[in-house]
Short mmCIF file of all heavy atoms in Angstrom, two decimals:
data_model
loop_
_atom_site.label_atom_id
_atom_site.label_comp_id
_atom_site.label_asym_id
_atom_site.label_seq_id
_atom_site.Cartn_x
_atom_site.Cartn_y
_atom_site.Cartn_z
N MET A 1 71.41 84.58 91.56
CA MET A 1 70.46 83.49 91.43
C MET A 1 70.99 82.23 92.11
O MET A 1 72.16 81.94 92.05
CB MET A 1 70.25 83.18 89.91
CG MET A 1 68.81 83.45 89.46
SD MET A 1 68.62 82.99 87.77
CE MET A 1 67.71 84.45 87.21
N THR A 2 70.05 81.51 92.73
CA THR A 2 70.44 80.32 93.44
C THR A 2 69.75 79.12 92.81
O THR A 2 68.56 79.21 92.55
CB THR A 2 70.09 80.41 94.92
OG1 THR A 2 70.70 81.56 95.46
CG2 THR A 2 70.59 79.19 95.66
N PHE A 3 70.48 78.09 92.56
CA PHE A 3 69.89 76.88 91.95
C PHE A 3 70.05 75.70 92.87
O PHE A 3 70.99 75.57 93.65
CB PHE A 3 70.56 76.60 90.60
CG PHE A 3 70.25 77.64 89.58
CD1 PHE A 3 71.14 78.64 89.29
CD2 PHE A 3 69.03 77.57 88.89
CE1 PHE A 3 70.84 79.60 88.38
CE2 PHE A 3 68.74 78.53 87.94
CZ PHE A 3 69.63 79.56 87.68
N THR A 4 69.06 74.79 92.76
CA THR A 4 69.13 73.56 93.52
C THR A 4 68.56 72.45 92.62
O THR A 4 68.39 72.62 91.43
CB THR A 4 68.29 73.72 94.83
OG1 THR A 4 68.47 72.56 95.63
CG2 THR A 4 66.82 73.95 94.54
N THR A 5 68.25 71.31 93.22
CA THR A 5 67.71 70.20 92.47
C THR A 5 66.20 70.04 92.77
O THR A 5 65.82 70.12 93.92
CB THR A 5 68.44 68.90 92.85
OG1 THR A 5 69.84 69.09 92.65
CG2 THR A 5 67.96 67.75 92.00
N CYS A 6 65.41 69.83 91.74
CA CYS A 6 63.97 69.64 91.91
C CYS A 6 63.71 68.36 92.70
O CYS A 6 64.20 67.29 92.31
CB CYS A 6 63.30 69.58 90.55
SG CYS A 6 61.53 69.25 90.70
N PRO A 7 62.95 68.43 93.78
CA PRO A 7 62.65 67.25 94.57
C PRO A 7 61.80 66.22 93.80
O PRO A 7 61.75 65.05 94.11
CB PRO A 7 61.86 67.74 95.76
CG PRO A 7 62.07 69.21 95.78
CD PRO A 7 62.34 69.63 94.38
N GLY A 8 61.08 66.71 92.77
CA GLY A 8 60.20 65.86 92.02
C GLY A 8 60.84 65.11 90.88
O GLY A 8 60.62 63.90 90.70
N CYS A 9 61.67 65.77 90.12
CA CYS A 9 62.22 65.14 88.91
C CYS A 9 63.76 65.18 88.87
O CYS A 9 64.35 64.60 87.98
CB CYS A 9 61.64 65.81 87.66
SG CYS A 9 62.16 67.52 87.47
N GLY A 10 64.36 65.91 89.77
CA GLY A 10 65.82 65.91 89.82
C GLY A 10 66.48 66.87 88.84
O GLY A 10 67.69 66.94 88.78
N ALA A 11 65.63 67.64 88.16
CA ALA A 11 66.20 68.63 87.22
C ALA A 11 66.68 69.84 87.97
O ALA A 11 66.41 70.02 89.18
CB ALA A 11 65.15 69.02 86.18
N ILE A 12 67.34 70.71 87.27
CA ILE A 12 67.82 71.93 87.87
C ILE A 12 66.60 72.83 88.20
O ILE A 12 65.65 72.89 87.44
CB ILE A 12 68.80 72.67 86.94
CG1 ILE A 12 69.43 73.84 87.66
CG2 ILE A 12 68.15 73.15 85.65
CD1 ILE A 12 70.84 73.59 88.08
N ALA A 13 66.64 73.42 89.36
CA ALA A 13 65.52 74.25 89.80
C ALA A 13 66.04 75.53 90.38
O ALA A 13 67.09 75.54 91.06
CB ALA A 13 64.70 73.48 90.83
N GLU A 14 65.33 76.60 90.13
CA GLU A 14 65.72 77.88 90.67
C GLU A 14 65.05 78.11 92.04
O GLU A 14 63.86 77.83 92.21
CB GLU A 14 65.29 79.00 89.71
CG GLU A 14 65.68 80.37 90.18
CD GLU A 14 65.16 81.48 89.32
OE1 GLU A 14 64.64 81.17 88.20
OE2 GLU A 14 65.23 82.64 89.70
N VAL A 15 65.79 78.63 92.96
CA VAL A 15 65.24 79.01 94.27
C VAL A 15 64.61 80.36 94.10
O VAL A 15 65.31 81.38 93.94
CB VAL A 15 66.33 79.02 95.36
CG1 VAL A 15 65.70 79.46 96.71
CG2 VAL A 15 66.96 77.65 95.50
N VAL A 16 63.28 80.44 94.11
CA VAL A 16 62.59 81.68 93.83
C VAL A 16 62.16 82.41 95.11
O VAL A 16 61.86 83.59 95.07
CB VAL A 16 61.31 81.42 92.98
CG1 VAL A 16 61.71 80.93 91.61
CG2 VAL A 16 60.39 80.46 93.67
N ASP A 17 62.18 81.68 96.22
CA ASP A 17 61.81 82.34 97.47
C ASP A 17 62.47 81.62 98.64
O ASP A 17 62.83 80.43 98.50
CB ASP A 17 60.28 82.34 97.67
CG ASP A 17 59.84 83.36 98.71
OD1 ASP A 17 60.64 84.19 99.10
OD2 ASP A 17 58.67 83.27 99.15
N ARG A 18 62.63 82.33 99.71
CA ARG A 18 63.30 81.80 100.85
C ARG A 18 62.70 82.46 102.07
O ARG A 18 62.61 83.68 102.14
CB ARG A 18 64.78 82.16 100.71
CG ARG A 18 65.71 81.73 101.77
CD ARG A 18 67.07 82.30 101.43
NE ARG A 18 67.66 81.62 100.29
CZ ARG A 18 68.57 80.61 100.41
NH1 ARG A 18 68.99 80.26 101.58
NH2 ARG A 18 69.02 80.02 99.35
N PHE A 19 62.26 81.68 103.02
CA PHE A 19 61.57 82.25 104.18
C PHE A 19 61.78 81.35 105.37
O PHE A 19 62.11 80.19 105.23
CB PHE A 19 60.10 82.48 103.88
CG PHE A 19 59.37 81.26 103.37
CD1 PHE A 19 58.73 80.44 104.29
CD2 PHE A 19 59.37 80.94 102.04
CE1 PHE A 19 58.07 79.28 103.82
CE2 PHE A 19 58.74 79.80 101.57
CZ PHE A 19 58.09 78.98 102.49
N THR A 20 61.52 81.93 106.55
CA THR A 20 61.74 81.18 107.79
C THR A 20 60.44 81.02 108.54
O THR A 20 59.66 81.98 108.68
CB THR A 20 62.75 81.94 108.68
OG1 THR A 20 63.95 82.12 107.96
CG2 THR A 20 63.04 81.18 109.92
N LEU A 21 60.12 79.81 108.93
CA LEU A 21 58.92 79.53 109.70
C LEU A 21 59.33 79.06 111.11
O LEU A 21 60.33 78.35 111.26
CB LEU A 21 58.11 78.42 109.04
CG LEU A 21 57.54 78.74 107.66
CD1 LEU A 21 56.82 77.53 107.10
CD2 LEU A 21 56.64 79.93 107.67
N PRO A 22 58.58 79.47 112.10
CA PRO A 22 58.87 79.01 113.47
C PRO A 22 58.52 77.55 113.64
O PRO A 22 57.56 77.05 113.05
CB PRO A 22 57.96 79.91 114.34
CG PRO A 22 56.84 80.32 113.45
CD PRO A 22 57.40 80.34 112.06
N SER A 23 59.28 76.84 114.48
CA SER A 23 58.96 75.45 114.82
C SER A 23 59.36 75.24 116.25
O SER A 23 59.91 76.10 116.90
CB SER A 23 59.70 74.53 113.90
OG SER A 23 61.05 74.34 114.34
N THR A 24 59.04 74.05 116.77
CA THR A 24 59.40 73.74 118.16
C THR A 24 60.89 73.75 118.38
O THR A 24 61.36 73.96 119.48
CB THR A 24 58.81 72.40 118.57
OG1 THR A 24 59.21 71.43 117.60
CG2 THR A 24 57.29 72.44 118.58
N ALA A 25 61.62 73.48 117.31
CA ALA A 25 63.07 73.44 117.43
C ALA A 25 63.71 74.78 117.05
O ALA A 25 64.90 74.89 116.88
CB ALA A 25 63.63 72.33 116.53
N GLY A 26 62.86 75.80 116.88
CA GLY A 26 63.40 77.10 116.50
C GLY A 26 63.05 77.41 115.06
O GLY A 26 62.34 76.64 114.40
N PRO A 27 63.51 78.54 114.59
CA PRO A 27 63.16 78.92 113.23
C PRO A 27 63.76 77.95 112.21
O PRO A 27 64.88 77.50 112.35
CB PRO A 27 63.84 80.30 113.07
CG PRO A 27 64.32 80.70 114.41
CD PRO A 27 64.37 79.46 115.27
N VAL A 28 62.97 77.59 111.19
CA VAL A 28 63.39 76.67 110.18
C VAL A 28 63.32 77.37 108.85
O VAL A 28 62.24 77.93 108.48
CB VAL A 28 62.52 75.41 110.16
CG1 VAL A 28 62.94 74.45 109.04
CG2 VAL A 28 62.62 74.68 111.51
N GLU A 29 64.39 77.35 108.09
CA GLU A 29 64.38 78.02 106.80
C GLU A 29 63.78 77.11 105.73
O GLU A 29 64.09 75.94 105.65
CB GLU A 29 65.82 78.39 106.40
CG GLU A 29 65.83 79.27 105.18
CD GLU A 29 67.23 79.76 104.84
OE1 GLU A 29 68.19 79.04 105.15
OE2 GLU A 29 67.35 80.84 104.25
N HIS A 30 62.92 77.65 104.93
CA HIS A 30 62.30 76.94 103.79
C HIS A 30 62.68 77.65 102.50
O HIS A 30 62.93 78.87 102.47
CB HIS A 30 60.80 76.93 103.92
CG HIS A 30 60.26 76.06 105.01
ND1 HIS A 30 60.47 76.36 106.36
CD2 HIS A 30 59.53 74.93 105.00
CE1 HIS A 30 59.89 75.43 107.06
NE2 HIS A 30 59.32 74.57 106.31
N ILE A 31 62.67 76.90 101.43
CA ILE A 31 62.90 77.48 100.12
C ILE A 31 61.77 77.05 99.18
O ILE A 31 61.19 75.99 99.34
CB ILE A 31 64.25 77.09 99.52
CG1 ILE A 31 64.40 75.57 99.46
CG2 ILE A 31 65.40 77.74 100.29
CD1 ILE A 31 65.61 75.11 98.72
N ARG A 32 61.47 77.93 98.23
CA ARG A 32 60.46 77.61 97.20
C ARG A 32 61.22 77.48 95.89
O ARG A 32 61.99 78.37 95.53
CB ARG A 32 59.45 78.74 97.16
CG ARG A 32 58.25 78.43 96.32
CD ARG A 32 57.12 79.38 96.77
NE ARG A 32 56.16 79.66 95.70
CZ ARG A 32 55.18 78.83 95.36
NH1 ARG A 32 55.03 77.70 95.97
NH2 ARG A 32 54.35 79.12 94.39
N THR A 33 61.01 76.38 95.23
CA THR A 33 61.79 76.12 94.00
C THR A 33 60.86 75.97 92.80
O THR A 33 59.72 75.56 92.94
CB THR A 33 62.61 74.81 94.15
OG1 THR A 33 61.76 73.72 94.27
CG2 THR A 33 63.57 74.88 95.34
N HIS A 34 61.39 76.31 91.64
CA HIS A 34 60.66 76.20 90.39
C HIS A 34 61.62 75.59 89.38
O HIS A 34 62.62 76.22 89.00
CB HIS A 34 60.24 77.63 89.95
CG HIS A 34 59.42 77.62 88.69
ND1 HIS A 34 59.39 78.73 87.86
CD2 HIS A 34 58.64 76.69 88.14
CE1 HIS A 34 58.60 78.43 86.84
NE2 HIS A 34 58.14 77.24 86.97
N CYS A 35 61.30 74.40 88.93
CA CYS A 35 62.25 73.70 88.06
C CYS A 35 61.93 73.92 86.60
O CYS A 35 60.91 74.53 86.24
CB CYS A 35 62.29 72.20 88.40
SG CYS A 35 61.22 71.18 87.39
N VAL A 36 62.80 73.43 85.74
CA VAL A 36 62.65 73.65 84.30
C VAL A 36 61.40 72.96 83.75
O VAL A 36 60.95 73.28 82.65
CB VAL A 36 63.90 73.20 83.55
CG1 VAL A 36 65.09 74.05 83.92
CG2 VAL A 36 64.20 71.71 83.85
N HIS A 37 60.85 71.97 84.49
CA HIS A 37 59.64 71.28 84.08
C HIS A 37 58.39 71.89 84.73
O HIS A 37 57.37 71.29 84.78
CB HIS A 37 59.74 69.80 84.38
CG HIS A 37 60.86 69.13 83.66
ND1 HIS A 37 60.94 69.08 82.28
CD2 HIS A 37 62.01 68.52 84.09
CE1 HIS A 37 62.05 68.43 81.92
NE2 HIS A 37 62.72 68.11 83.01
N ARG A 38 58.54 73.08 85.28
CA ARG A 38 57.46 73.85 85.89
C ARG A 38 56.86 73.18 87.13
O ARG A 38 55.69 73.30 87.38
CB ARG A 38 56.35 74.14 84.84
CG ARG A 38 56.89 74.94 83.67
CD ARG A 38 55.78 75.32 82.75
NE ARG A 38 56.30 76.10 81.61
CZ ARG A 38 55.54 76.60 80.66
NH1 ARG A 38 54.24 76.40 80.70
NH2 ARG A 38 56.07 77.28 79.69
N HIS A 39 57.69 72.47 87.85
CA HIS A 39 57.23 71.96 89.15
C HIS A 39 57.56 73.00 90.20
O HIS A 39 58.63 73.58 90.20
CB HIS A 39 57.99 70.67 89.50
CG HIS A 39 57.82 69.56 88.51
ND1 HIS A 39 58.84 68.72 88.14
CD2 HIS A 39 56.73 69.19 87.78
CE1 HIS A 39 58.39 67.87 87.23
NE2 HIS A 39 57.10 68.13 87.00
N TRP A 40 56.60 73.21 91.09
CA TRP A 40 56.83 74.10 92.24
C TRP A 40 56.87 73.29 93.49
O TRP A 40 56.02 72.47 93.73
CB TRP A 40 55.66 75.13 92.33
CG TRP A 40 55.66 76.12 91.21
CD1 TRP A 40 55.01 75.98 90.00
CD2 TRP A 40 56.27 77.40 91.19
NE1 TRP A 40 55.23 77.09 89.24
CE2 TRP A 40 55.99 78.00 89.96
CE3 TRP A 40 57.04 78.12 92.14
CZ2 TRP A 40 56.44 79.27 89.61
CZ3 TRP A 40 57.50 79.38 91.78
CH2 TRP A 40 57.20 79.92 90.54
N TYR A 41 57.88 73.54 94.31
CA TYR A 41 57.98 72.86 95.57
C TYR A 41 58.39 73.82 96.66
O TYR A 41 59.16 74.77 96.41
CB TYR A 41 59.02 71.74 95.51
CG TYR A 41 58.59 70.51 94.77
CD1 TYR A 41 58.86 70.34 93.44
CD2 TYR A 41 57.82 69.53 95.45
CE1 TYR A 41 58.42 69.21 92.76
CE2 TYR A 41 57.41 68.42 94.79
CZ TYR A 41 57.70 68.24 93.45
OH TYR A 41 57.28 67.12 92.78
N THR A 42 57.89 73.58 97.86
CA THR A 42 58.35 74.27 99.04
C THR A 42 59.01 73.24 99.93
O THR A 42 58.33 72.31 100.37
CB THR A 42 57.21 75.00 99.75
OG1 THR A 42 56.63 75.92 98.84
CG2 THR A 42 57.75 75.73 100.95
N THR A 43 60.25 73.37 100.16
CA THR A 43 60.99 72.36 100.95
C THR A 43 61.83 73.02 102.01
O THR A 43 62.08 74.21 101.98
CB THR A 43 61.90 71.51 100.03
OG1 THR A 43 62.87 72.38 99.48
CG2 THR A 43 61.11 70.84 98.93
N LEU A 44 62.24 72.22 102.93
CA LEU A 44 63.16 72.69 103.96
C LEU A 44 64.52 72.99 103.32
O LEU A 44 64.99 72.24 102.44
CB LEU A 44 63.39 71.64 105.05
CG LEU A 44 62.21 71.36 105.95
CD1 LEU A 44 62.56 70.20 106.88
CD2 LEU A 44 61.84 72.57 106.76
N ALA A 45 65.13 74.07 103.73
CA ALA A 45 66.48 74.37 103.31
C ALA A 45 67.44 73.71 104.32
O ALA A 45 67.85 74.35 105.28
CB ALA A 45 66.69 75.88 103.24
N ARG A 46 67.63 72.42 104.17
CA ARG A 46 68.40 71.68 105.17
C ARG A 46 69.86 72.12 105.20
O ARG A 46 70.49 72.09 106.24
CB ARG A 46 68.35 70.20 104.84
CG ARG A 46 66.97 69.61 105.03
CD ARG A 46 66.91 68.14 104.66
NE ARG A 46 65.55 67.61 104.82
CZ ARG A 46 65.08 67.15 105.96
NH1 ARG A 46 65.85 67.18 107.04
NH2 ARG A 46 63.87 66.69 106.03
N GLN A 47 70.40 72.43 104.11
CA GLN A 47 71.78 72.84 104.08
C GLN A 47 71.87 74.18 103.38
O GLN A 47 71.06 74.51 102.55
CB GLN A 47 72.67 71.80 103.40
CG GLN A 47 72.08 71.35 102.06
CD GLN A 47 72.49 69.92 101.82
OE1 GLN A 47 73.51 69.49 102.28
NE2 GLN A 47 71.70 69.15 101.08
N PRO A 48 72.89 74.95 103.73
CA PRO A 48 73.01 76.25 103.10
C PRO A 48 73.13 76.07 101.59
O PRO A 48 73.97 75.33 101.10
CB PRO A 48 74.34 76.80 103.66
CG PRO A 48 74.60 75.97 104.88
CD PRO A 48 73.93 74.65 104.69
N ALA A 49 72.22 76.72 100.86
CA ALA A 49 72.28 76.62 99.42
C ALA A 49 73.52 77.32 98.88
O ALA A 49 74.08 78.22 99.50
CB ALA A 49 71.04 77.28 98.83
N THR A 50 73.96 76.84 97.76
CA THR A 50 75.12 77.50 97.13
C THR A 50 74.70 78.83 96.62
O THR A 50 73.92 78.94 95.70
CB THR A 50 75.66 76.62 95.99
OG1 THR A 50 74.56 76.24 95.18
CG2 THR A 50 76.36 75.40 96.50
N ASP A 51 75.15 79.84 97.30
CA ASP A 51 74.70 81.19 97.02
C ASP A 51 75.86 82.03 96.47
O ASP A 51 76.68 82.54 97.18
CB ASP A 51 74.22 81.83 98.33
CG ASP A 51 72.86 82.52 98.12
OD1 ASP A 51 72.55 82.82 96.99
OD2 ASP A 51 72.19 82.73 99.15
N HIS A 52 75.94 82.05 95.17
CA HIS A 52 77.01 82.75 94.53
C HIS A 52 76.60 84.18 94.20
O HIS A 52 75.48 84.37 93.70
CB HIS A 52 77.49 82.02 93.28
CG HIS A 52 78.04 80.69 93.57
ND1 HIS A 52 79.22 80.52 94.24
CD2 HIS A 52 77.57 79.44 93.30
CE1 HIS A 52 79.46 79.22 94.37
NE2 HIS A 52 78.48 78.56 93.81
N ALA A 53 77.46 85.09 94.47
CA ALA A 53 77.09 86.50 94.23
C ALA A 53 76.98 86.81 92.75
O ALA A 53 76.28 87.75 92.34
CB ALA A 53 78.14 87.40 94.85
N ASP A 54 77.63 86.02 91.92
CA ASP A 54 77.54 86.29 90.51
C ASP A 54 76.30 85.63 89.95
O ASP A 54 75.97 85.55 88.91
CB ASP A 54 78.81 85.81 89.81
CG ASP A 54 79.08 84.34 90.08
OD1 ASP A 54 78.31 83.73 90.84
OD2 ASP A 54 80.04 83.79 89.54
ZN1 ZN B 1 60.76 69.12 88.52
#
């Protein structure tokens, strides 16, 4: 499981999906997050998410 911060409220949010969209600058990775307050966001994955195998 990968966690990040909710862009809306700053709470902990789970990364539920991850996908790549084409852009003029090349493929851009996006992530879909779902926070503890039930906010859904699709944002750019600007930096490699902390991806722990455990
Ligand atoms: Zn939120």
